[in-house]
Amino acid sequence: MDKLVSDDQAVALLNSGDTLTTAGFVGNGFPELLAIALEQRFKSQHAPLDLTLVYAAGQGDGGERGLNHLAHPGLIKRVIGGHWGLVPSLGRMALDNQIEAYNLPQGVISQLFRDIAAGRPGCLTHVGLHTFVDPRYDGGQLNNLTQEPMVELLEIGGTEQLFYKAFAINVAFLRGTCSDRHGNITMEREALPLDNLAMAQAVHNCGGTVIVQVEKIVEHHHLHPNMVKIPGILVDNVVLAEPQHHWQTFAEPFNPAYCGLLTQNQSASSNSAHEPSLPPLPLDLRKLIGRRALLELKADSIINLGIGMPETVAAVAAEEKLLDSVTMTIEPGGIGGIPAGGLSFGAVINAQAMIDQSSQFDFYDGGGLDQAFLGMAQVNAAGDVNVSRFGNRIAGAGGFINISQNAAEVYFMGTLVSGDSALTISNDQNTPGLSVKQELDSDPVTAVKPRQVIQKFVTEIDHLTFNGRYAAERGQKVFYITERCVFQLTIKGIELIEIALGLDLERDILQQMAFRPLIANNLVRTDPRVYNRGDMGLK
């Protein structure tokens, strides 16, 4: 097979100054062997130098895998990424002004691959208006070293739009399951197709080199041609990976339920083939927030769940046997089923369909989502939300901007404060709710250390990932769900509309915020069912 090369031969094709793009979502579909080989080449040869790295979704484990392999001064000159939180090594380089660094919306980068492939000048979209990506703010630039504008504000037909400039890409690191002798790539054991086709087309049409990591070489595919996701005409080189460098996700070597090869076993009480058996979550503050969000779920809705806290919505929906009441979707392309969590996030158990990431964002950007459940790190009085940058950490926006700007209803989820919790949960039928521990013992001899609490509802947020006023002006329905209370967005700012059972408004909520929100006249108490030790009985 003429296209088959070793990993060392493949990475030797990169030249200093090249622009490299890599496929993956967390660990789904990431070509780990190629990243390791490139790192080893740089360490031994101090080459190539000054690469530009382009990727849409976060690709890493928060430690050493994924794009963390490439975080070496000299190897990388510039990064254009959608999500940075899983690659803290690159994030530190950006904070230290060692690299030029951009954070653009994940969906925009995903769609930009198609624009580059088609020879278009760039991506024109409303996504990113009135956020840190807007050139009237930061233009997506993350440090002082980054000077070249990549985003322009234009007016088209009297409407503001953002224009994201196209650029040439020289090399692609992609991943598939099998390659035949012509380089045709199938993905039957991959959890996601992602943007592999668009990326291969973009690099090929830029005159670059497309390298694909696979787990098997076959003489002829015994599958229908529709199973070929990357045609051989786009593939220059194929690398055969060892199993330890070709896990399906960063958490699991292989789960057949992620790629439709089997349906995960159902629990005895399940009423549907799309309700897999999952262990119930422990009753903690995360579960309370997930349950409270679940109360907002509307039958027949098409929804999106973000990473982190929103993952609990899927878990409690499974407990309540409500998965078939809605259709859950995940931004890399999963439709239906139940999203996986942790380092398998992006994969889907018992998915109904799996489409390309760019097509999923087309659907999202056009208003296809009825409801979105997303995380929040900071919120101010206007309802602005920051999830992308805080303190000495660059998390990046990922698909958050695409989703939060375009879903009909948005529910931000998170604790009211971060730090050691002073709350205990009572599921007593007579006194369900929350209670607050004393922060200091009255006896100085037995006094405990005060809790280290960081306010999340602040006067000023560090990064503008979601613009509350812009959402309110467009009539978007927005809520902020915490374990202690619930707020809604109004044109005048956020309004407190609900308080947890057992808590005092002034002491337990208002004193934990840096500003005083609007307070509804008909302030209500949280539904006591969220504190149940068993399920809530919603089915």
Side-chain angles (χ1 to χ4, degrees):
M1 179 180 172
D2 293 339
K3 295 185 178 182
L4 182 62
V5 297
S6 69
D7 52 324
D8 290 336
Q9 289 172 323
V11 299
L13 298 172
L14 275 81
N15 298 308
S16 294
D18 276 351
T19 295
L20 167 68
T21 186
T22 57
F25 186 99
V26 188
N28 292 277
F30 183 78
E32 179 75 0
L33 176 62
L34 295 176
I36 292 172
L38 180 56
E39 179 181 37
Q40 291 175 342
R41 179 192 169 194
F42 178 77
K43 286 182 174 180
S44 63
Q45 304 176 13
H46 197 59
L49 299 173
D50 298 333
L51 298 181
T52 292
L53 175 65
V54 182
Y55 63 92
Q59 300 165 15
D61 63 353
E64 298 180 351
R65 290 182 290 182
L67 292 177
N68 293 292
H69 288 295
L70 308 188
H72 296 284
L75 174 59
I76 300 296
K77 176 183 179 182
R78 171 185 290 188
V79 174
I80 303 167
H83 191 274
W84 289 68
L86 296 168
V87 284
S89 301
L90 284 175
R92 286 191 292 271
M93 291 175 67
L95 288 170
D96 293 340
N97 277 297
Q98 293 180 308
I99 55 173
E100 298 174 33
Y102 298 86
N103 182 200
L104 305 181
Q106 178 183 331
V108 169
I109 297 176
S110 177
Q111 293 156 345
L112 196 56
F113 292 134
R114 296 186 309 193
D115 294 315
I116 295 170
R120 290 186 283 265
C123 182
L124 186 67
T125 176
H126 60 283
V127 172
L129 284 168
H130 304 289
T131 71
F132 73 88
V133 180
D134 193 314
R136 289 170 291 192
Y137 295 87
D138 301 325
Q141 298 166 208
L142 295 178
N143 60 22
N144 295 330
L145 184 64
T146 309
Q147 296 293 323
E148 182 182 346
M150 290 199 66
V151 189
E152 294 182 13
L153 177 67
L154 302 178
E155 186 173 305
I156 308 295
T159 302
E160 289 184 342
Q161 298 282 306
L162 294 182
F163 178 68
Y164 298 83
K165 301 176 184 178
F167 45 85
I169 308 177
N170 308 111
V171 182
F173 283 178
L174 310 178
R175 199 178 93 169
T177 299
C178 295
S179 172
D180 66 12
R181 61 191 182 90
H182 300 292
N184 293 302
I185 308 296
T186 60
M187 303 184 68
E188 64 270 25
R189 286 169 58 89
E190 301 294 324
L192 299 164
L194 297 170
D195 296 316
N196 280 277
L197 175 59
M199 296 167 76
Q201 290 176 327
V203 173
H204 179 274
N205 288 356
C206 288
T209 303
V210 175
I211 305 168
V212 185
Q213 171 183 319
V214 299
E215 65 179 53
K216 189 175 182 181
I217 303 294
V218 297
E219 180 65 22
H220 297 286
H221 285 304
H222 298 289
L223 301 171
H224 193 281
N226 284 345
M227 296 296 290
V228 173
K229 299 300 182 183
I230 311 175
I233 60 171
L234 303 175
V235 177
D236 296 288
N237 295 106
V238 176
V239 175
L240 182 62
E242 303 90 348
Q244 68 267 28
H245 294 143
H246 202 93
W247 279 29
Q248 191 180 34
T249 77
F250 279 151
E252 301 167 84
F254 182 68
N255 184 338
Y258 290 161
C259 53
L261 293 181
L262 62 75
T263 299
Q264 182 167 308
N265 292 333
Q266 278 73 56
S267 62
S269 59
S270 176
N271 298 317
S272 166
H274 295 291
E275 291 186 1
S277 175
L278 294 174
L281 295 176
L283 186 61
D284 56 14
L285 298 184
R286 288 175 60 86
K287 186 169 186 176
L288 290 187
I289 296 171
R291 281 181 161 183
R292 178 58 190 83
L294 189 68
L295 294 178
E296 300 294 332
L297 212 60
K298 296 182 178 177
D300 300 323
S301 289
I302 301 171
I303 71 173
N304 169 272
L305 300 179
I307 194 170
M309 187 74 74
E311 295 173 29
T312 60
V313 176
V316 296
E319 290 180 30
E320 300 293 333
K321 307 298 183 291
L322 292 177
L323 285 179
D324 264 9
S325 300
V326 298
T327 301
M328 295 192 183
T329 69
I330 297 291
E331 58 265 31
I335 297 173
I338 183 167
L343 290 179
S344 289
F345 184 69
V348 179
I349 301 167
N350 303 348
Q352 298 174 28
M354 194 67 67
I355 64 176
D356 287 351
Q357 182 170 236
S358 55
S359 296
Q360 189 82 301
F361 277 110
D362 288 340
F363 178 69
Y364 285 0
D365 293 351
L369 284 173
D370 299 308
Q371 296 180 294
F373 297 85
L374 304 170
M376 58 182 179
Q378 292 179 320
V379 181
N380 65 15
D384 301 335
V385 177
N386 170 28
V387 299
S388 49
R389 183 170 184 170
F390 24 89
N392 60 352
R393 182 187 171 203
I394 298 176
F400 183 95
I401 295 176
N402 298 83
I403 296 163
S404 65
Q405 283 195 332
N406 296 300
E409 300 179 5
V410 182
Y411 301 86
F412 296 112
M413 302 168 58
T415 54
L416 188 73
V417 298
S418 64
D420 295 338
S421 172
L423 299 176
T424 57
I425 302 170
S426 170
N427 54 16
D428 186 286
Q429 290 186 351
N430 297 319
T431 58
L434 297 174
S435 59
V436 181
K437 302 174 187 176
Q438 292 296 320
E439 296 208 15
L440 285 172
D441 194 295
S442 57
D443 184 347
V445 177
T446 60
V448 296
K449 183 180 179 181
R451 292 181 299 114
Q452 300 298 312
V453 172
I454 300 174
Q455 289 183 332
K456 295 172 68 173
F457 285 73
V458 296
T459 305
E460 295 184 8
I461 63 175
D462 296 337
H463 220 211
L464 184 58
T465 334
F466 175 82
N467 191 308
R469 179 171 293 279
Y470 181 54
E473 290 173 349
R474 293 182 293 115
Q476 198 172 16
K477 187 176 181 180
V478 181
F479 290 87
Y480 308 79
I481 298 174
T482 79
E483 81 288 8
R484 300 188 187 212
C485 57
V486 178
F487 304 89
Q488 71 176 1
L489 179 65
T490 74
I491 197 68
K492 295 181 180 179
I494 65 170
E495 179 182 46
L496 181 66
I497 60 172
E498 179 181 309
I499 180 173
L501 290 169
L503 296 188
D504 177 76
L505 172 63
E506 190 67 36
R507 180 196 66 204
D508 301 326
I509 295 176
L510 299 182
Q511 289 184 13
Q512 309 303 318
M513 303 172 63
F515 60 89
R516 190 176 184 88
L518 303 171
I519 300 176
N521 294 328
N522 56 339
L523 191 63
V524 299
R525 292 283 178 171
T526 298
D527 190 322
R529 292 178 294 177
V530 305
Y531 308 104
N532 288 355
R533 179 64 62 181
D535 62 46
M536 293 190 288
L538 297 184
K539 186 67 175 181

